């Protein structure tokens, strides 16, 4: 279990949240793809918070950070 610094945890609330369906629509993938990322071993996709067996949320901040980490700059790839 990773312990998150208090100031980072507090930033999650005002940043906004996506549901699985909203994230899938944003990324232009099927919701089943996002669900598969969560159940893959090792887990793939952006960090998530499972509030119940039927509701999983994704922080806007975490999604942006995850997308940035996957970005490839063609000018820097050789």
């Amino acid at each position: 279990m990773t312990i998150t610094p208090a100031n980072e945890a507090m930033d999650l609330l005002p940043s906004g949240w996506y549901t699985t369906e909203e994230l899938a629509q944003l990324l232009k993938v099927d919701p089943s793809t996002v669900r598969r990322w969560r159940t893959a071993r090792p887990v793939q996709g952006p960090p998530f918070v499972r509030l119940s067996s039927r509701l999983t949320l994704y922080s806007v901040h975490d999604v942006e950070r995850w997308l940035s980490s996957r970005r490839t700059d063609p000018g820097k790839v050789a």
Side-chain angles (χ1 to χ4, degrees):
M1 181 171 140
T2 303
I3 297 178
T4 305
N7 60 343
E8 186 176 330
M10 290 173 52
D11 289 342
L12 290 176
L13 290 176
S15 69
W17 296 86
Y18 297 119
T19 64
T20 298
E21 291 73 19
E22 290 168 337
L23 180 61
Q25 184 176 14
L26 178 73
L27 297 177
K28 299 184 182 352
V29 299
D30 194 87
S32 65
T33 299
V34 177
R35 287 190 286 274
R36 190 171 50 253
W37 291 342
R38 289 196 307 259
T39 59
R41 294 294 176 242
V43 175
Q44 302 171 8
F48 58 90
V49 175
R50 183 163 294 158
L51 293 179
S52 72
S53 63
R54 301 185 90 192
L55 180 61
T56 301
L57 296 177
Y58 297 84
S59 161
V60 170
H61 177 72
D62 285 341
V63 171
E64 289 173 350
R65 188 174 17 189
W66 177 74
L67 286 171
S68 291
S69 74
R70 301 183 60 81
R71 185 173 183 265
T72 300
D73 185 344
K76 295 183 180 180
V77 177

